[in-house]
Amino acid sequence: MIRLSKRLGKIAQEVPAGSRLADIGSDHALLPSYLAKQGTIIQGIAGEVNPGPYDAAVKQVRASGLEKVIDVRLGDGLAVIAPGEADVITIAGMGGVLIASILEAGKAKLEGVRRLVLQPNVGEAAVREWLLGNGWFLTGEHILEEDGKIYEILTAVPRTESGADPESLYEPLTMADGITADRAVLLSMGPYLVREASAVWTKKWTYELDKLRKICDNLAGSETEASRSKEAEFRAEMKRIEEVLAACTPKAKP
């Protein structure tokens, strides 16, 4: 029996039944193998750029008896698929900048894709910015904590399928005490997550504030103009985060 981590389990829930899945950076191919065993996907591609994880994925698929359902391929990003070959793509467990670069480099391979499920470890704003700039509507965000780490999972569909304007998600949001979460804040902190203001989300941004304070303390020991400029930039960011955390409650709605 294949068991998924809490993180992968939440990603699995975002994959619709009857999907043809391409899991990019599949590692041990646990996600597609689990979904195939559950009968959720009718076809799967497990893509991996490194030989070690590729071999591990091949072994997993063989051990699960899924060779006819899942094809393990060695290649960089979306180079492992052809246009129209998958209708759902999952990319998890890497930086947001890297995820955005994979999507950008493989734009031609997104033909026929009806859903993206993306889980950046860091740099979530880069993923949101790519989706916004390339005609994808963010339909949902999930945040969870597992083994001391906090993860965000972003799900998006093509604008043509959503029938909604992606820009509408990032219109300034007025919260308590007249505080406004502008476009930059919503791209960074998440348009849905800001409105939900869950305990895990609050914990994440409280931790981010602590990191920024430590950086500013270190910069304060330097008298260079570059250090002063950076410190001012970080303190302005801290102020924005503090204001949103203070004003954001579960009652805040679009």
Side-chain angles (χ1 to χ4, degrees), residues 145-150 203:
E145 183 174 12
E146 183 174 31
D147 297 331
K149 296 181 180 180
I150 295 176
K203 181 176 181 178

Side-chain angles (χ1 to χ4, degrees), residues 191-204:
Y192 295 100
L193 297 177
V194 164
R195 290 172 170 97
E196 293 167 3
S198 70
V200 175
W201 177 85
T202 301
K203 181 176 181 178
K204 170 183 175 171

